[in-house]
Amino acid sequence: MNINATLLVQALSFAALIWFTVSFVWPMLTDAIDDRNKRIADGLAAAEKGRQALELSSRQAEEALKEARARAAEILAQADKRATEMIEQAKNQARDEGAREKIAAKAEIDQEYARAREQLREHVAALAVAGAEKILRREVDAKAHGDLLSAIRQQI
């Protein structure tokens, strides 16, 4: 065999290998590389979206916490206000009840005073009748002198 023919056959074989590689193998490799690049790019984009979503969720969580704290403070303020109102209302009711009891006690005292005064009048009238009876040494008829006794009671 001749070295030139060997070189020529090797060159033709190498050219056929290059043609075969470029025609059939190379497109599959570039497709695989492109697909891999696309998956990497999609993964990076998804990671970026996830990071942005995480930041958004963190901000929303902070806002929700602020709102919850503000609402809790508002509820506490309302509870304090309601407690103060209830205390004031209880004080007012106690004052009103005390005033009513004072009025009732005064009315009862007035009634007791009137009863005692009436009993005193009756007692004085009885003493006056007894005194008059002793002075006159005779018994006074209560029926006949009922008007007189009533007048005495009214004067006393």
Side-chain angles (χ1 to χ4, degrees), residues 71-108:
R71 182 71 178 135
E74 181 181 324
I75 289 171
L76 287 174
Q78 288 176 351
D80 288 341
K81 181 180 176 185
R82 180 67 180 138
T84 304
E85 289 174 357
M86 289 174 69
I87 289 170
E88 287 300 319
Q89 185 179 19
K91 285 179 183 178
N92 291 337
Q93 287 176 348
R95 276 190 215 113
D96 292 345
E97 184 66 25
R100 280 193 296 271
E101 287 179 8
K102 186 177 178 182
I103 291 169
K106 187 172 181 172
E108 188 176 337

Side-chain angles (χ1 to χ4, degrees), residues 90-139:
K91 285 179 183 178
N92 291 337
Q93 287 176 348
R95 276 190 215 113
D96 292 345
E97 184 66 25
R100 280 193 296 271
E101 287 179 8
K102 186 177 178 182
I103 291 169
K106 187 172 181 172
E108 188 176 337
I109 289 170
D110 289 343
Q111 288 176 352
E112 286 294 322
Y113 176 75
R115 261 188 248 129
R117 192 170 178 183
E118 186 63 31
Q119 286 176 354
L120 184 61
R121 278 186 191 154
E122 288 175 7
H123 187 65
V124 168
L127 284 176
V129 168
E133 187 177 325
K134 284 183 180 183
I135 291 173
L136 296 175
R137 300 258 180 221
R138 62 184 177 102
E139 189 174 324

